[in-house]
Amino acid sequence: MKKSSTLTTTTSMPASPTLSAQTLSASKISLNSSRCGSAGSGCGSASGSMRSACQSPVRPGSGCVDAIKAKREEIEMDTLLEKAKFYTSVCLGTTAILSVFTFLFLIPFVVDPAISTIIADYDPVPVTCIVIDHIYAEGIKNCSWSSCREGCTSSLTKCHQLFVNYTRIPFSEWERNPRDLDTVNWDVSYTKFLINSEGCGYPPTTNCSIFARQYGFTHIGEPFPCYYSRAYPEVVIGRYSWENNLYHLILSLIIPNVLFAISIGVLSYWYCPCCEKACNKSSRVYAEKFPTKEEIVNCMKCNTEKSLSLNVF
């Protein structure tokens, strides 16, 4: 009987150590949790606060939402400004290129004739002229010159050649007191008559058929107003205006050059580092506004608490 009871006791012992180990581990976990709960901020207060702050749900109307919205609006505004700057730069570059080509186009058609007219020094008061000969010719060989030509660069295949006599008597005085053509002492005889200083133009302002009918054919020998050159007395033209000539010259010189200068100036200010450095008050460029490695190291030595934030640089 004693042996059997002893055996029973020994055989029933292996189950108890397993239960006691599980109970012990559970009690340790509960003890640790209770200690952490009683300690409060002692169990990783810094990391716990950061995690709770990061993992806490964002409520509508809170400061975080407003900050995120403001940051998003700022990014959208910066993107909009960058797009506007890009398209403005494209327009300015196109304007600069077109200004150059426009000025080169205006040189032979507006600037050069205007300067030639100024050099010729035409008398602004119209004098009296009469057409004494009108020749209509065809063929390149026969048209060495023309009183009127539609297109200053076109080849001459048909031409009207008018020759005139003129006297320096103003035409207004001639109208008040007409004279006999046979008794007039002409200052220049049988000289070429041109529609303007270049002898050419472009429709609709220049129409050579109307010009020939106005001064030639049946109107030969009729007095009409004309303008002679005081620098070259043999040059006589039918159209002249000092104001219009100066007006067209100023416009052709100022408008393309001003547009080109403004476009290049704005583009240089935006994209040229030298211009930006010269125009800004600060002598430091954009890259120099950030701290250098030496400044970061010195600051880390002085203040160890900010070393973590400075490592970002």
Side-chain angles (χ1 to χ4, degrees):
M1 291 298 290
K2 294 179 179 180
K3 292 181 179 180
S4 62
S5 62
T6 307
L7 181 61
T8 304
T9 304
T10 25
T11 54
S12 62
M13 287 298 291
S16 59
T18 307
L19 294 174
S20 62
Q22 295 176 355
T23 306
L24 183 59
S25 62
S27 63
K28 287 181 178 180
I29 293 172
S30 62
L31 181 61
N32 292 331
S33 62
S34 63
R35 287 179 179 177
C36 289
S38 62
S41 61
C43 295
S45 58
S47 61
S49 61
M50 292 297 293
R51 291 176 182 175
S52 62
C54 294
Q55 295 178 359
S56 60
V58 180
R59 298 178 181 179
S62 62
C64 293
V65 175
D66 297 337
I68 292 172
K69 288 183 178 179
K71 188 66 176 178
R72 189 173 299 170
E73 291 177 358
E74 183 179 356
I75 293 173
E76 291 178 355
M77 182 60 66
D78 292 340
T79 304
L80 183 62
L81 291 176
E82 289 294 331
K83 289 183 179 179
K85 183 178 180 180
F86 170 75
Y87 289 116
T88 305
S89 301
V90 172
C91 293
L92 290 175
T94 305
T95 302
I97 296 173
L98 292 178
S99 300
V100 173
F101 283 103
T102 302
F103 181 70
L104 294 177
F105 176 79
L106 290 175
I107 287 176
F109 296 105
V110 178
V111 178
D112 186 58
I115 295 176
S116 301
T117 302
I118 294 174
I119 294 174
D121 189 20
Y122 290 97
D123 190 352
V125 178
V127 296
T128 306
C129 291
I130 59 169
V131 175
I132 59 174
D133 194 6
H134 179 194
I135 299 173
Y136 175 75
E138 295 183 357
I140 298 177
K141 293 182 179 180
N142 298 325
C143 294
S144 58
W145 70 279
S146 176
S147 296
C148 177
R149 181 171 58 177
E150 296 179 4
C152 297
T153 58
S154 60
S155 57
L156 291 174
T157 56
K158 298 179 181 180
C159 59
H160 295 273
Q161 298 176 350
L162 279 71
F163 296 89
V164 297
N165 295 343
Y166 77 85
T167 177
R168 290 188 174 90
I169 300 174
F171 184 72
S172 58
E173 183 180 345
W174 182 280
E175 286 183 324
R176 290 194 303 268
N177 185 17
R179 294 168 174 78
D180 188 3
L181 297 178
D182 297 331
T183 61
V184 174
N185 186 16
W186 302 103
D187 293 293
V188 177
S189 301
Y190 206 80
T191 186
K192 298 177 181 178
F193 179 64
L194 305 176
I195 186 173
N196 50 37
S197 60
E198 296 296 318
C200 60
Y202 294 90
T205 57
T206 301
N207 191 320
C208 294
S209 299
I210 297 177
F211 172 79
R213 288 196 298 268
Q214 181 180 358
Y215 296 102
F217 298 116
T218 58
H219 296 282
I220 295 177
E222 294 181 2
F224 65 91
C226 63
Y227 302 88
Y228 75 96
S229 172
R230 288 177 286 197
Y232 311 102
E234 68 278 2
V235 178
V236 184
I237 61 175
R239 299 176 184 175
Y240 174 73
S241 175
W242 167 259
E243 292 79 10
N244 292 337
N245 183 68
L246 187 62
Y247 176 74
H248 293 151
L249 178 62
I250 292 175
L251 287 183
S252 60
L253 290 176
I254 289 179
I255 292 179
N257 292 315
V258 168
L259 291 177
F260 177 79
I262 292 174
S263 302
I264 295 300
V266 175
L267 292 176
S268 300
Y269 177 75
W270 281 349
Y271 298 103
C272 182
C274 299
C275 297
E276 183 179 2
K277 184 176 180 180
C279 294
N280 292 333
K281 295 181 180 180
S282 177
S283 60
R284 302 179 67 185
V285 295
Y286 181 75
E288 293 177 353
K289 295 179 181 179
F290 294 96
T292 61
K293 292 183 178 180
E294 291 78 7
E295 294 176 351
I296 294 174
V297 172
N298 295 332
C299 192
M300 288 173 63
K301 291 179 180 180
C302 297
N303 193 351
T304 57
E305 294 179 357
K306 295 183 179 179
S307 60
L308 180 61
S309 62
L310 289 173
N311 284 332
V312 177
F313 296 99

